[in-house]
Amino acid sequence: MAISTPTYHPLHFSPTITTRRIHLHTIPFAPRKALLTTCARRTGKRRYPSEKKKLEKIKKELLKTKIRNREEGYWRLSKLSVPAHKDPGKDFIGVSLPLLEAIAKILKFPVAPMLPEEAFTVVRKSFDARKVLKEPAFVYTVDMDVKKLLHLEPRTWDFISYLEPKLGFVEYREDENALTDLVDILDKGKVKIDGSNPSNGFTYSEKRPRVAVVGSGPSGLFAALVLGEIGADVTLIERGQPVEQRGRDIGALVVRKILSSESNFCFGEGGAGTWSDGKLVTRIGRNSDSVQAVLKTLAQFGAPPNILVDGKPHLGTDKLVPLLRNFRHYLLDLGVDIKFNTRLDNLVVENGQVKGVVVSNAKNEPGCNSDQEKLLFDAVVLAVGHSARDVYSMLLQHNIEMVPKNFAVGLRIEHPQELINSIQYSELANEVQAGRGRIPVADYKVAKYVGGDKFNTESSFESGVENRSCYSFCMCPGGQVVLTSTNPSELCINGMSFSRRASKWANSALVVTVSSDEFDSFRSHGPLAGVEFQREFERRAAEMGGGNFVVPAQRVTDFLAETLSGTSLPASSYRLGVKASRLHNLFPAHITKALQCSIEMFDKELPGFITTDALLHGVETRTSSPVQISRQADTCESTSLKGLYPIGEGAGYAGGIVSAAVDGMFCGFALAKELSLYRGDVELVLRKAQKQTGFVKY
């Protein structure tokens, strides 16, 4: 596995950083007609010279590490492979005998059963079913406590004494990385009420600064948690409902087609990620202390402990709902004032600085002045999601600096889950057992770069296709397709799944990158041209479906042949109805061609991907925010309005639950410094939060 040495700041998430999974995945789409150089993570002899130099430097530094006392400390043993047929299965995160055998092989210890399980801790477990392997296997990363091992089995000394570091496989550190959850970190750092000023940088003020946090998604919740713990007087404003009532509103939508504009799949406690797959994978460094603090905080509030170990952790909606309830109760106990069903209508601005907000009851129509209320604050944290289009419009009226941002649009494809299991696992597919077997429910992640003569052999649609990136997005194994519209005249969809992923369907968005150059017809909307671009195709999809939230659909084979599917479509998990439609006419021709081209290329990676059982649904437009609200890199404060702190996915600085939570956490500390509640550095709290501490990235 290549060692990643990112140069970006993990706490300053960039939505343009893409996950590199398949060997042809590349950078996001650049301006039209620009000749792009494709690049991918290379391994072994194929590495670029610059990558080789960095790895050599890391290796030299690692080998220079002097082990002063071999009788203590911790060894991290990585890439320990246990064949799938020997492993207890995906839900077991302990130390099994087959794993001890893999450890004994590294230590060259002759009798594996003699190794004490208590001396080892599993820190990562993932499933590897690549076809290049002799057989599928679970791959482990394990920490070995030397002192405990020698105490329980002294005869291992002769073997540990000869153990040497090997980059990416065997690494040593003197102390344990004992970073805990955010609540525990902040509790330990709190100052006494007498106002003493310890070295951790926290201070105490008799006058608590008042802060509004708008939005209760991951970024808003973590910002409120940090600020509330440090000592600010926090008011959390959420336009939607708490998860209990939100669940009933979503039930009314799914069963009776009654859409609540303020409480739905997008709006409400927890944000859009609550009714989704609950993925906790991130592109900002899984082993960074900031990410670990977020994951451990989620576990503290009720997430299953295996999210700290799983290579691809996810929660599922059924696990997120009680977690959010626990999170809310903790904030209330902290003294945070939570206002549900409260919509942000405007900002109170005086002399170029935010002084408060104007809010109203979300049950009433926007613009109803009779129930509007003005609330004054010292700072406003704007943590809305990327569907809060009315907030973008309000910010534009205040001349808040925003810039259009690239995003992706496309369709959502659905296959029988058994087919995906068979494609990925072959004869091992029977072990999945609808999420209850030893083997994880199969997923996929594919990405291709289309356009340019050098790739013409891969697809019959390649000719004339402009340079752009096409990829799968938000793949939901064992899931269902759901409606994410916030307006009855617009239609957009997403995927979700529960923790067990037991549905008989697998769905994923297939999307194409689009840039601001493609929004020419919407230039009159200024920086919100991308929003209008999204709306245009959401309206077209609603018209194609015939209204009443019926989704236009087409067999993937018919989409490639550009013919209307017959009236008898494959069964769909979408519960509000599907209608056979000409989805190949939904988007402009260059986007349709790119999608067709990428589907053919994906079929080469996943033979059987193109089938009459695969159904495309329209439309997927809200993959990320179409704008970025400009802010200062170190303080998170808006560059054009003092006292406003835009964060999270809606502001264009995150892309998922974990990265949004990290951004909110970082903003919480940055704002606390501005309010003189915290004088230190984030590193003092999270132990070098912007770097991996101790072992290299795994």
Side-chain angles (χ1 to χ4, degrees):
M1 182 184 295
I3 303 300
S4 175
T5 55
T7 58
Y8 55 88
H9 193 304
L11 290 174
H12 298 169
F13 178 73
S14 171
T16 60
I17 300 172
T18 57
T19 303
R20 298 169 180 177
R21 180 69 175 89
I22 303 298
H23 59 277
L24 282 178
H25 185 26
T26 58
I27 58 176
F29 178 59
R32 195 182 300 180
K33 296 183 180 180
L35 180 61
L36 299 184
T37 302
T38 59
C39 62
R41 180 174 296 168
R42 298 185 173 209
T43 59
K45 295 180 179 179
R46 297 177 63 246
R47 287 195 180 100
Y48 295 110
S50 58
E51 292 176 332
K52 291 180 181 178
K53 289 180 180 179
K54 289 180 181 178
L55 288 174
E56 285 297 322
K57 184 178 180 181
I58 293 174
K59 188 174 181 180
K60 288 178 181 178
E61 291 176 355
L62 180 66
L63 295 177
K64 286 179 182 178
T65 303
K66 293 183 179 180
I67 305 175
R68 290 190 288 266
N69 184 0
R70 286 184 173 270
E71 297 181 9
E72 296 181 350
Y74 297 84
W75 288 92
R76 173 156 292 177
L77 311 178
S78 303
K79 301 179 184 177
L80 301 172
S81 181
V82 176
H85 71 276
K86 291 185 177 182
D87 194 272
K90 69 180 190 307
D91 296 323
F92 182 78
I93 57 176
V95 179
S96 63
L97 179 57
L99 178 56
L100 288 177
E101 291 172 351
I103 294 171
K105 187 176 180 181
I106 296 293
L107 300 179
K108 299 181 180 179
F109 190 75
V111 188
M114 292 176 62
L115 293 173
E117 297 177 12
E118 299 85 349
F120 304 96
T121 303
V122 176
V123 296
R124 187 73 74 250
K125 179 178 182 178
S126 58
F127 186 63
D128 191 349
R130 290 175 297 165
K131 301 296 188 290
V132 296
L133 301 177
K134 292 182 179 179
E135 60 178 324
F138 285 93
V139 181
Y140 288 83
T141 299
V142 173
D143 279 354
M144 179 175 69
D145 186 331
V146 175
K147 189 174 183 179
K148 187 179 291 187
L149 178 61
L150 293 176
H151 173 72
L152 296 172
E153 181 49 77
R155 285 170 289 189
T156 58
W157 167 247
D158 289 340
F159 303 89
I160 293 176
S161 61
Y162 290 104
L163 196 61
E164 293 295 336
K166 184 178 180 182
L167 184 63
F169 292 90
V170 182
E171 298 163 75
Y172 176 83
R173 64 175 295 158
E174 293 182 353
D175 59 340
E176 184 181 15
N177 187 358
L179 182 71
T180 59
D181 64 273
L182 186 58
V183 173
D184 187 54
I185 293 169
L186 291 167
D187 279 344
K188 291 177 179 177
K190 282 182 179 177
V191 299
K192 299 177 181 178
I193 298 299
D194 61 11
S196 59
N197 185 19
S199 60
N200 58 24
F202 290 90
T203 62
Y204 173 74
S205 173
E206 292 185 1
K207 183 181 178 182
R208 300 171 63 196
R210 302 191 69 227
V211 179
V213 177
V214 183
S216 67
S219 60
L221 288 174
F222 274 80
L225 176 61
V226 171
L227 290 165
E229 285 277 9
I230 290 178
D233 182 3
V234 180
T235 299
L236 181 59
I237 298 171
E238 169 56 52
R239 69 193 302 165
Q241 297 282 8
V243 286
E244 298 88 349
Q245 179 58 45
R246 186 182 178 190
R248 291 189 283 271
D249 293 334
I250 288 175
L253 171 60
V254 172
V255 176
R256 302 194 300 274
K257 297 190 176 183
I258 301 174
L259 173 64
S260 169
S261 61
E262 303 292 349
S263 180
N264 44 56
F265 280 98
C266 289
F267 298 148
E269 187 175 21
T274 306
W275 265 265
S276 71
D277 189 53
K279 292 180 181 64
L280 300 177
V281 293
T282 178
R283 296 172 287 184
I284 61 174
R286 171 70 188 272
N287 198 30
S288 66
D289 288 344
S290 54
V291 170
Q292 287 295 303
V294 167
L295 294 177
K296 290 178 181 179
T297 302
L298 295 176
Q300 182 69 20
F301 285 129
N306 63 358
I307 68 168
L308 305 175
V309 174
D310 286 348
K312 295 180 180 179
H314 87 108
L315 288 170
T317 294
D318 51 323
K319 301 294 184 183
L320 274 165
V321 169
L323 184 157
L324 288 166
R325 188 184 300 119
N326 295 337
F327 209 131
R328 182 208 315 155
H329 290 162
Y330 187 86
L331 291 177
L332 290 172
D333 290 341
L334 271 182
V336 175
D337 181 17
I338 303 179
K339 295 180 180 294
F340 288 110
N341 199 34
T342 303
R343 180 177 53 238
L344 173 68
D345 290 338
N346 209 342
L347 299 174
V348 179
V349 179
E350 295 179 7
N351 300 321
Q353 183 162 348
V354 169
K355 294 295 184 180
V357 296
V358 177
V359 298
S360 62
N361 190 325
K363 292 182 179 179
N364 298 328
E365 289 295 322
C368 180
N369 297 327
S370 60
D371 69 335
Q372 284 189 335
E373 182 181 5
K374 181 187 292 187
L375 305 175
L376 300 181
F377 296 98
D378 297 300
V380 174
V381 177
L382 192 65
V384 299
H386 57 56
S387 291
R389 293 166 172 173
D390 56 335
V391 175
Y392 293 147
S393 298
M394 180 270 291
L395 295 177
L396 194 60
Q397 292 177 0
H398 285 282
N399 295 318
I400 305 298
E401 184 178 353
M402 295 182 287
V403 294
K405 184 176 71 64
N406 295 359
F407 56 98
V409 297
L411 306 169
R412 184 158 287 265
I413 191 169
E414 187 169 68
H415 293 84
Q417 181 62 56
E418 289 186 355
L419 174 63
I420 301 301
N421 293 341
S422 178
I423 291 173
Q424 297 289 59
Y425 297 157
S426 301
E427 66 276 2
L428 202 62
N430 293 330
E431 297 282 349
V432 174
Q433 298 176 8
R436 299 186 179 275
R438 295 187 310 107
I439 305 303
V441 180
D443 63 0
Y444 59 84
K445 191 170 188 178
V446 286
K448 291 291 181 181
Y449 186 80
V450 301
D453 295 337
K454 64 183 293 184
F455 298 115
N456 278 343
T457 59
E458 294 214 42
S459 170
S460 59
F461 293 96
E462 188 81 39
S463 178
V465 177
E466 296 176 334
N467 297 328
R468 64 182 67 236
S469 178
C470 306
Y471 53 94
S472 60
F473 173 80
C474 189
M475 196 274 162
C476 296
Q480 56 188 290
V481 179
V482 296
L483 177 75
T484 53
S485 298
T486 51
N487 185 318
S489 64
E490 300 165 355
L491 188 62
C492 60
I493 54 176
N494 192 20
M496 67 160 282
S497 60
F498 295 102
S499 57
R500 188 59 69 176
R501 290 174 163 171
S503 163
K504 62 182 181 180
W505 288 285
N507 69 76
S508 174
L510 301 182
V511 294
V512 178
T513 52
V514 292
S515 74
S516 57
D517 287 351
E518 298 176 70
F519 310 152
D520 288 338
S521 58
F522 305 102
R523 290 299 177 195
S524 61
H525 296 275
L528 302 187
V531 174
E532 293 305 313
F533 181 86
Q534 292 174 329
R535 278 179 165 155
E536 171 68 19
F537 297 107
E538 291 173 9
R539 294 188 190 107
R540 289 188 189 181
E543 292 173 2
M544 274 190 172
N548 212 19
F549 307 119
V550 174
V551 160
Q554 188 175 23
R555 293 178 190 267
V556 69
T557 49
D558 295 327
F559 179 73
L560 296 176
E562 298 188 355
T563 60
L564 181 67
S565 298
T567 55
S568 177
L569 293 172
S572 169
S573 67
Y574 182 74
R575 296 177 59 182
L576 299 180
V578 296
K579 177 185 176 182
S581 305
R582 298 181 185 274
L583 289 179
H584 54 274
N585 292 334
L586 176 62
F587 290 112
H590 63 278
I591 292 180
T592 299
K593 290 293 183 184
L595 285 169
Q596 292 169 330
C597 175
S598 62
I599 289 172
E600 284 199 343
M601 297 165 79
F602 294 161
D603 188 64
K604 291 179 170 59
E605 293 285 347
L606 304 169
F609 191 80
I610 296 176
T611 170
T612 55
D613 292 329
L615 189 65
L616 290 167
H617 304 68
V619 62
E620 186 102 12
T621 53
R622 305 185 191 185
T623 54
S624 67
S625 174
V627 301
Q628 187 175 70
I629 306 172
S630 303
R631 73 182 190 188
Q632 304 289 346
D634 54 343
T635 65
C636 294
E637 189 175 32
S638 167
T639 57
S640 51
L641 184 60
K642 291 185 178 298
L644 181 67
Y645 294 80
I647 63 171
E649 192 158 349
Y653 293 96
I657 293 175
V658 173
S659 60
V662 168
D663 197 53
M665 183 171 60
F666 178 80
C667 174
F669 283 108
L671 178 52
K673 290 185 69 172
E674 292 295 306
L675 298 174
S676 300
L677 292 174
Y678 177 61
R679 295 179 181 173
D681 199 309
V682 180
E683 291 186 6
L684 296 174
V685 182
L686 294 178
R687 298 173 56 205
K688 297 191 181 298
Q690 70 269 46
K691 303 175 183 177
Q692 280 93 236
T693 57
F695 301 111
V696 299
K697 182 180 178 182
Y698 52 86

